[in-house]
Each structure stands twice: as C-alpha cells, then as structure tokens.
C-alpha cells in the first residue's frame, strides 16, 4: 500500500439513519445533505478491496439515499455514492486476485464519492480495456437493472411500458427490448424526446404531457396488450396507466421520481382482472439471483458497451471538490448522467 | 321434465353491463337494482342442468354484481344470484349423471334467486345426505375461497392477517388456519367479536376501531411477522396495516367492503422491502386450478361441514318474493349469512 496516502478528500453524509419521509430524489441544495472533508483512507478487511476512484456516476438512488429515503440507513460522516469505476490499489485477505485491476464497482464499505472507495470483491466487475471510464462507472446499477427488468417483461409477452423513458435506464430498456424482438412502449414528458426514443428502440412513444395522453395510451394498450409496466415515476398518472392496461398487468415500480402519493382508484381490478403491483430493486435481485446468472448478465452488459450497442450519455462532469456546491444544478440537465471525477 | 312448470318466479336484474363505479357491496334499497317477475323456466343445453332451488345464499359478490361492479356484465331481465343448493330436475346432453341429485352449485346459465336455476354440470357438487341445505347453499364461494387463500398464506409462513374476520369467510379462514397449525391474526370492528373469533381459531384478535389499533398491530406484526394479509375491506386502514407488515408482505385483496379509495403512502416499500399488492378471485382460481385439485378441495370442504368443524351461521331467511323489499335490511344484520328460500 506504499502509493496509498493516509488521508483523502471525500463527500460525506451529514445525517444518520432514515428521514421517515418520501419526497423523491430531487435536491435543492446538496449542502443540506453533504459536506466535503479530509478523512482517513479506509483499510480493506477480509474479502474487501480499496479502489482509487477514476469516475463515479450519480444515480437517483444516491440522492434518495443521502435524503434518508432509501433501503439502507445513512451513516453520518461516511462518504456518499454507490457506483463508480477505478483501480484496485489494496486488497484484504482472499481478494488479492483483483489487485491492480480496473473495475466497475458498487460501494459497500466506504462510498464512491471520494478519492478512494472500498467494497467487497464480489461487488466488483473487472473491466475490459475497450470500455471507457464513463461506461465503466455506470456499468452496474442501470445496465443490470435494465437486463433484469426487461427479462421480466419478456416473460409476460412482447409489449411492455417504460415510463421516464428518456432516462439512461429507459433508453437501455428500449434498446434491449428491441434487440430481444419485443415492443417497448416508451413514455416521455417532452415531445422533443420522441425521435430519440424511436432511434433507441421504442416501438411506440407517447408524450405524457399531451392532454390526450390517457386516451392515446388506452387505444395503444387495447391493441398491443402490454402486461408489464416498468415505472420510475410512481405517481397518480402511473396508476391511471396501470388501470388502462389489460388483464394480468403487472405494475413494477423501481423508482419514485414524483413525490405525489398515488390512489388506487380501481382496487377491483386486482381482484377481478388478476393485476398486481410490485417493486424491483437491484440489490434484492443480486441477493436472490445465483452468482453464475449474475456473471452471465454482467458479461452481456459489458459486451454491449464494448461493441457500441450501449453507450453512457454524460451531461456534465463535476470534480469531487465541487459536488457540494454544484450537484443540485448539475442534476437539472435533462440528457445524460452526472459524472464525478477525483 | 313432466314436473317442471313452464314459468317461475324470479328476482331479476334491472340493469345491463357495468356501472363504471366502485362503491362497494352495500345497498340502500334492493329495488334500485332488482325486480320480481314471472318468467319462463330455462331449458338446459348440452352439459347444463336445471335445478329446483332449495336455498340460495347471499354473498358480497351478489350485491357487487347487481350494482354493476363485478367481473362480469349484468344482463337486464336475467335472474340474479350466484350460489345455492337444490335438486337437479332436468339435464342437457352429457349431464344426466346428475339427474335427481341434490347439489351445491354456482349459477352460470340462469341465476340462483329464482324457483329454478341453471348452470353447467361442472359447477355442481353433489351433496352428502348429512349436509344441511343451509350448509349446502354456502358450500362453494366462501369455503373454496377460504381453502385457496389459507393455502397461499401457508406457503409464506405461519402467521397471516384476516380483515373483516367476523364474516363467515373470516371465521372459516381462522378455523382452517388453526387446524393447519398456523397463526391467524383476526381483525374485527367490534370488541364483542373478540371471544367468538378466538373460539373460531384466531391466535390473536385486534379491534380496528380501537384508537390504539395501529400501534397494537405494529407490535404484533414485529413479533409474529405475518407475510400475507387476506383483506376484504381494501380501504386506507388496509394500506396502513400493509405498511406495518414486514419485508416481503403480500396484501391480497379479495373484496372491497369499503368504498374509500386507498392511497399508497409508502410506494418505496414495494421496491425496497419486496412487498406486493394483488387480488384473489375464486372464479380465476377455478379457471387456473386443475379439476382434480378442485375436487380434492371440494371433498375436504364437505368433510368439514359434515363432521361439524365448519357450520354456516344464518342471520335471517328471506322468501324469494320478499327479496326486493327486504334484502337491504336483512343484510344489515351483523352475524351470519342471509339465506333466500323459494
């Protein structure tokens, strides 16, 4: 560990535990939740690795988490950030095979928004040299989620609905659906996004802000019979979309972009039409899916980035020391991900 | 068919199709939905049987149906009523094995609230002589639903929650749960029902009108970890019960006794805690479950009524000719089912 310093700059969580609220991933000022500081570089324990950060990506789960609205409690004073890529510079017992490798990772021991991150060896995927740092730093959360969710959609038929389809994840799911011979129905907020989504693989694109949207969706739903709704928004409009879907439809929520609390206006549809409402969380999927299946999915993901079928659109790079001041504004840019660099 | 008259008295539906509303099973005046009249006795087609009614039971699905809020459209001028028992007095081609038998039935060709009902032979269960007409007329909808739903509960652990547990179906599920070595948690509205439910097999009974109810339920939920909530009410309190249940909880709605529209206040629980919301409908279960499994369940049901483990509590008998005037009041009595007699 000769080249590893004793201290590092990191972006730290300012609060402990859960907030008990459900306000969505938007933040007005990152300083409400985060602060920059120099702290000790962590030492990897058995099965863990220390990673010198190359780049970290910002996902909605990151802002959910720092606000105390995610599936695990915050730790005040610990670095924020789940996902990134970097070089393994130190390893604990049993993890030395990764020493010196460039890896994509999800942080589990010490967060990704820091000069050094720490995680379990099993949360790392060694990166092929033909994968860029941009693609490498957004290799796990979105792509694995897309793979797993489109797989669920495929099990129920050919047509499926994707909300917030202009997101990186939405585009991945449309492209993946098309490649599998399925028919993704993309829902977007802005008319300008329609052509982009068609180019990305959507069979149909509807604009949710159109006053005729629900009528258009009902017509399309009756024709194409989508059984799965992969939903990042989970507001009242989501419920109305679900209501307009056919028998046996599954509303699968994987995000809560809108803080609006949806009402279940047609409870009887669950009973009489065999519909159901459920969630998807990659963490649970990784816990419940055998490692060999996960490795196969990870290999497919990397092949797609390597040959250019998939690409990570970047809206802006924010240096680690500017995260507290600049993150809230950076996240307002609509197309692509915010990337954090050391 | 020498003993079968040409006309019969029947209680007819006054409306066609669906109402498009969701107001629950309560009715203020049956005359809004039903009228009595003499109509032709139907003739059974291939696979069908004609049944001289002995007794019909009134289920919430009957009032949902006549109000146009059920899973199949109303037919104006056709007799109402799903379930009953009676004697097969005429048979269509292929159904003659049932001629002369006393059967429990669910009507599919012509409703049960009539002197004669018609249905498919496969919707009839021949009754053992030691089963009373009261038990025979409530042999299918509630008991089969109880069997199927408690089976789902058993697949997820030992504790499960039953709302509106003072209903016939609620009591059946508590008794069945106890007999299977499970721990039914019964929810009732009235303190007076607590001892009855304990006697019927509930491991715990909570009173939903107690101001401390949600606190009591949360404590119990943390101790007993029920994963399945069999819910006939489906209102906002149901949602709060679901929210207080542990990881992987399933809210299974099988009725909408309260017209209140529930809000999903903790959508994130579906994502992060693997919870889900679904429905149960006996009609769908019968469509999706192999006949041999259904026959086994029907045999178990009948054995339970024959040996006295199960019993149908009757609140009041209403003659067919008084249904239009008396049904709404009869349904207000809290304990037991309303039975219709010719």
């Amino acid at each position: 560990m000769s080249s590893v310093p004793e201290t590092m700059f990191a972006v730290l969580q300012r609060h402990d535990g859960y907030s008990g609220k459900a306000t969505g991933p938007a933040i007005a000022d990152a300083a409400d939740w985060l602060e920059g500081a120099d702290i000790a570089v962590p030492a990897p324990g058995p099965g863990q690795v220390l990673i010198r950060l190359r780049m970290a990506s910002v996902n909605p789960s990151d802002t959910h988490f720092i606000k105390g609205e995610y599936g695990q409690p915050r730790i005040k004073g610990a670095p924020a950030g789940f996902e990134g890529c970097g070089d393994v510079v130190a390893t604990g017992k049993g993890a030395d095979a990764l020493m010196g490798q460039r890896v994509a990772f999800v942080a589990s021991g010490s967060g990704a928004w820091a000069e050094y991150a720490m995680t379990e060896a099993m949360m790392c995927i060694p990166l092929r040299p033909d994968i860029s740092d941009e693609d490498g730093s957004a290799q796990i959360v979105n792509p694995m989620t897309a793979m797993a969710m489109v797989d669920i959609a495929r099990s129920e038929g050919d047509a499926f609905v994707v909300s917030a389809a202009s997101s990186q994840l939405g585009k991945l799911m449309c492209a993946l659906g098309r490649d599998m011979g399925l028919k993704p129905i993309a829902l977007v907020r802005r008319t300008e996004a329609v052509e982009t989504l068609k180019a990305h693989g959507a069979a149909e694109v509807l604009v949710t802000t159109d006053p005729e949207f629900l009528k258009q969706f009902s017509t399309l739903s009756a024709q194409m019979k989508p059984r799965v709704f992969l939903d990042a928004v989970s507001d009242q409009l989501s419920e109305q979309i679900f209501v307009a879907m056919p028998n046996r439809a599954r509303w699968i929520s994987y995000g809560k972009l809108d803080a609006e609390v949806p009402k279940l206006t047609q409870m009887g549809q669950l009973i009489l039409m065999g519909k159901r409402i459920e969630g998807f969380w990659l963490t649970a999927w990784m816990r419940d899916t055998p490692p060999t299946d996960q490795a196969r999915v990870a290999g497919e993901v990397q092949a797609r980035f390597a040959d250019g079928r998939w690409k990570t659109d970047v809206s802006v790079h924010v240096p680690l020391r500017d995260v507290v001041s600049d993150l809230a504004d950076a996240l307002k840019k609509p197309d692509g991900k915010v990337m954090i660099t050391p």
Side-chain angles (χ1 to χ4, degrees), chain A:
Chain A
M1 287 184 60
S2 60
S3 67
V4 178
E6 289 191 0
T7 64
M8 66 179 184
F9 181 78
V11 177
L12 308 180
Q13 304 158 55
R14 288 189 54 203
H15 305 279
D16 262 319
Y18 299 102
S19 68
K21 293 180 188 160
T23 61
I27 53 172
D29 184 354
D32 293 340
W33 318 102
L34 300 172
E35 62 191 354
D38 286 300
I39 61 167
V41 172
Q48 290 184 316
V49 300
L50 184 71
I51 299 160
R52 187 193 296 126
L53 191 74
R54 284 170 175 261
M55 202 172 285
S57 59
V58 180
N59 292 303
S61 50
D62 288 308
T63 46
H64 272 296
F65 175 65
I66 61 175
K67 292 173 78 179
E69 302 182 7
Y70 199 61
Q72 56 200 74
R74 295 170 294 185
I75 300 170
K76 188 176 169 176
F82 287 124
E83 185 177 24
C85 78
D87 303 295
V88 175
V89 293
T91 57
K93 200 179 164 182
D96 42 306
L98 286 173
M99 187 67 195
Q101 296 212 46
R102 188 174 65 120
V103 296
F105 68 91
V106 170
S108 75
S110 181
W113 299 356
E115 290 173 322
Y116 294 84
M118 195 167 73
T119 192
E120 310 295 316
M122 60 174 288
M123 303 296 268
C124 296
I125 300 172
L127 287 169
R128 296 162 44 152
D130 48 0
I131 304 272
S132 70
D133 285 346
E134 276 79 6
D135 286 338
S137 71
Q139 189 79 190
I140 300 178
V141 174
N142 278 348
M144 300 282 275
T145 301
M147 283 276 182
M149 289 204 299
V150 173
D151 218 47
I152 294 170
R154 179 166 54 172
S155 72
E156 301 284 0
D158 61 354
F160 63 99
V161 183
V162 176
S163 68
S166 293
S167 71
Q168 279 299 300
L169 183 48
K171 289 181 203 158
L172 293 183
M173 292 194 289
C174 289
L176 195 57
R178 176 194 52 198
D179 294 353
M180 288 177 170
L182 309 179
K183 293 174 186 156
I185 301 171
L187 310 184
V188 299
R189 287 180 57 81
R190 298 172 306 130
T191 310
E192 307 89 79
V194 172
E195 290 311 313
T196 314
L197 263 296
K198 285 201 171 154
H200 268 89
E204 300 286 345
V205 186
L206 293 180
V207 180
T208 56
T209 49
D210 187 316
E212 297 291 298
F213 165 72
L214 270 176
K215 209 165 158 187
Q216 295 161 355
F217 179 78
S218 295
T219 306
L220 209 55
S221 176
Q223 287 164 6
M224 299 177 69
K225 302 227 178 295
R227 305 288 179 187
V228 169
F229 176 23
L230 303 172
D231 182 28
V233 185
S234 307
D235 61 358
Q236 195 61 49
L237 186 62
S238 297
E239 195 265 354
Q240 291 173 67
I241 290 163
F242 178 59
V243 162
M245 289 174 71
N247 278 352
R248 304 196 315 280
R250 294 169 65 182
W251 175 9
I252 303 179
S253 166
Y254 70 90
K256 186 81 186 85
L257 290 178
D258 194 306
E260 183 186 38
V261 169
K263 294 187 294 267
L264 293 182
T265 60
Q266 297 286 337
M267 198 80 197
Q269 288 196 345
L270 304 186
I271 305 172
L272 302 170
M273 296 175 69
K275 295 188 174 189
R276 63 186 213 237
I277 311 171
E278 58 202 294
F280 180 87
W281 190 29
L282 184 65
T283 307
W285 182 86
M286 293 179 86
R287 188 187 58 213
D288 300 337
T289 304
T292 48
D293 287 347
Q294 292 189 38
R296 179 182 52 75
V297 173
E300 283 176 30
V301 165
Q302 210 159 151
R304 284 176 179 273
F305 279 106
D307 67 15
R309 276 177 293 169
W310 281 0
K311 187 180 167 308
T312 303
D313 294 332
V314 177
S315 62
V316 58
H317 287 86
V318 177
L320 205 45
R321 288 179 189 269
D322 298 337
V323 166
V324 175
S325 56
D326 294 359
L327 182 62
D329 279 346
L331 287 170
K332 292 192 182 114
K333 297 186 194 294
D335 287 312
K337 292 195 93 66
V338 174
M339 294 292 176
I340 296 173
T341 48

